Amino acid sequence: MKYGYFNDKNREYVITNPRTPWPWINYLGNEDFFSLISNSGGGYSFYKDAKFRRLTRYRYNNVPMDDGGKYFYIKDGETIWSPGWKPCRTELDEYECRHGMNYTVISGEKNGIKTSVLYFVPLNTWAEVQKLTISNNSGEKRKIQLFSFVEWCLWNAAADMENFQRNFSTGEVEIADSVVYHKTEYKERRNHYAFYSVNAPVQGFDTDRESFFGLYNGFDHPQTVFDGKPRNSVAHGWSPIASHYIELELNPGESKDLVFVLGYIENSEEEKWESKGVINKRKAREIIDRFDTSQKVDSALDELRNYWDNLLSIFTVDSGDEKLDRIVNIWNQYQCMITFCFSRSASFFESGIGRGMGFRDSNQDLIGFVHQIPGRARERILDIASTQFQDGGCYHQYQPLTKRGNNDIGGGFNDDPLWLILGTTSYIKETGDFGILDEMVAFDNDMSVARTLFDHLTVSFDHVVNNLGPHGLPLIGRADWNDCLNLNCFSNDPNESFQTTENKSEGSKAESVMIAGLFVAYGRDYADLCRRRGREDEAARALNLVAEMVDTIKKFGWDGEWFIRAYDFFGRKVGSNENEEGKIFIESQGWCTMAGIGSDEGMCKKALDSVKERLDCEQGIVLNNPAFTKYIIEYGEISSYPAGYKENAAVFCHNNPWIMIGETVAGNGDRAWEYYRKICPSYLEEISDLHKTEPYVYGQMIAGKDAFRPGEAKNSWLTGTASWNFYAITQFILGIRPDYDGLIVDPCIPGSWKGFKVVRKFRNAVYNIEVLNPNGKSKGITELVVDGERQSSNVIPVFGDNREHSVKVIL
Ligand code: GLC
Ligand code: GLC
């Protein structure tokens, strides 16, 4: 069953039934000020950091689902309703939610009154703008009472949910004109306040939650709204809110617009106050003035649309398959941008207070958005690298507000450093900017020990070399990419974290074949980079070490039919036919086949066939098989999950593209495509009931064949799945791959495809690429013609001439 439809022309998903199987959300803002918004108006806002600068409250995992948001209540006689259906849940005559690129429009109609709210964060603005249009579609004159509503969060979202003995006494507001200002803690250590305005006179307001709702009422039953009477309450402590009350009279056919602005202001110490105890509102008034008419709001929305037109014009495919085109051209690229902004911090599955930016996550995310915003990718790489330690290890996470490593989790995840090589080389391949390698970058944020970014890559590479285990394979540390394979943590205490408990790391012997594969892949990239920098000796050293690793993997990492996953603390095989459960894992098959390890000896082919046979199922490729059915203390968290979920044999979508790419390296276009299609959300729209999460974005996991309910997805939006699938489809299946000297064209497609077209903007030129497949091949180019000239290789040269170039490719 579907709950809406794609409107590709407008780049929107249009939800027509508010009772989606899970809140289907969108993100507003793409720079400093952000909001999450569900299809019924739920969600919250924050400035930069969802933990430290939370503006409004949201209630995770509440009953009813999705409570807390930017709500509007309409009182029309005795009928009380909300345009997004929630929170009132009054049955609407019409309902529609249009999620677009960084904007959302929610509309409801009841008894001839239609209310439509456009929500977005204008470019370069620390505010969310809401344009509410209310229309009288009935034949008679109508009087309507309108109440807005937001609930302030007391800034630190974690403290806001626990320190009530303090919180209930600190809340402070000011009310002036039609604006509610939230200034809790402003007089002490904070230099910021928030405000909520409307561009019309109000006939009343509320700023105290209890006065607005009545103590025991829910969001669906604010007493003021039911009474049709605001209380003009002024919050002192407890829970401050902001609600405007507006009386409207509408003639038949008449429409009125109101513009609400929810903004965030920072003032320096000298300009904090207007007078004693009265905050300086100058900057707030400036923002309010920028959006005080509908025309101004509409032109800000146009700017946002242009911004997205631009971003999405860099890579477009015309494949003749609308499901593929819409995911590649619109939604997957959009999701990549969202992962850039939020890493794994704030979604409807990530509470915004848990994790900041992940070291490995952010580097992998980069491969999905570097073509769109190379300048910001550059900055991101330098930020990430600054949280590295001098020995090449690194903080696993950092906070976006402070850009400092997160001490609660620390380091010791031994795959982390290698991803910096992926992030950096992807950036240089896209832009040609080798200069980034000369940037001086701190270690652990300490500039006194700064070295060049190139040196950071060297220590990343050497961190593996310096941390080899008894078989000569890389030591796994706390975990590699799979956070739940905790081979050096023996935990019997439910109060310990699997990730940070290291009761066996002293003299640890657990080794990772996945890191070994990663080392081969990115070690070669590192060597390539060394050569391009004229560092032949270093390149040779690196290649020798890589060659040794290849031998080691063939010797100790091969199980006969597939690559083993790891060696546990005691040196026993993990992911081997010898094991009872967890005989085969996806990660090492992905990394070793992508790197082509043992391809001459037939290892890659065997490994990929084993994946097909043992891990593939209707929902995608599961992470391991057989799933673990009992807790194995030597393995840790992975065996804590019920079979078929998360890292224990779910289709963990992030790693499926590794196999897709492995298949393209082996030339199997049909299989690569089959795997791609299985987990791609636009192909799952019809089964939304089962799939549950948004059909326009990837989720982290889909319950696998061993699960109680296979096919159910979770953790939508913030996942490496977004960038890896974009990378797999565009660079390996469609095969348009940026490289140092140009654009490589190397498709690997199903034999039945007749061809496709791609427009790619690359280093200041536009390439109109047409791929034809007259002979039903999967891979291998017969002819490449650029601007009428036949090329001798499959690399399209860099022109950089701001012109369009025609590229014809025959497989
Ligand atoms: C989560 C984490 C990521 C990890 C993956 C597998 O997605 O964000 O860092 O690699 O799970 O455990
Ligand atoms: C849990 C999750 C994993 C995530 C990790 C982050 O282990 O299963 O996906 O990466 O938490 O700490």
Side-chain angles (χ1 to χ4, degrees), residues 137-154:
N137 295 337
S138 76
E140 60 218 62
K141 190 175 187 141
R142 303 281 285 273
K143 282 189 168 175
I144 303 294
Q145 295 170 287
L146 174 78
F147 297 78
S148 69
F149 172 84
V150 302
E151 181 181 8
W152 301 114
C153 178
L154 306 182

Side-chain angles (χ1 to χ4, degrees), residues 344 355 360-361 481-483 647 652 700:
R344 307 293 172 266
R355 301 194 264 168
R360 74 157 84 91
D361 294 335
W481 171 87
N482 190 334
D483 274 337
E647 279 87 343
F652 206 93
Q700 180 203 54

Side-chain angles (χ1 to χ4, degrees), residues 351-386:
S351 62
I353 59 174
R355 301 194 264 168
M357 315 293 283
F359 192 99
R360 74 157 84 91
D361 294 335
S362 294
N363 274 302
Q364 292 173 80
D365 292 345
L366 223 125
I367 63 177
F369 65 77
V370 61
H371 64 292
Q372 293 185 332
I373 44 167
R376 295 175 74 188
R378 189 182 207 274
E379 200 183 314
R380 173 63 55 83
I381 292 168
L382 300 175
D383 285 349
I384 300 172
S386 310

Side-chain angles (χ1 to χ4, degrees), residues 190-257:
R190 294 190 182 276
N191 64 347
H192 47 264
Y193 65 80
F195 66 88
Y196 191 40
S197 69
V198 59
N199 67 340
V202 295
Q203 285 75 52
F205 60 85
D206 273 288
T207 66
D208 173 60
R209 191 179 76 191
E210 190 181 321
S211 310
F212 182 70
F213 284 107
L215 183 54
Y216 290 103
N217 289 356
F219 287 103
D220 59 341
H221 200 110
Q223 201 55 51
T224 45
V225 180
F226 275 72
D227 296 347
K229 240 176 79 198
R231 306 291 195 260
N232 296 339
S233 58
V234 179
H236 294 279
W238 300 110
S239 288
I241 61 157
S243 171
H244 307 95
Y245 168 68
I246 297 172
E247 292 170 356
L248 293 157
E249 238 183 50
L250 295 164
N251 288 317
E254 191 183 357
S255 269
K256 280 186 180 158
D257 284 349

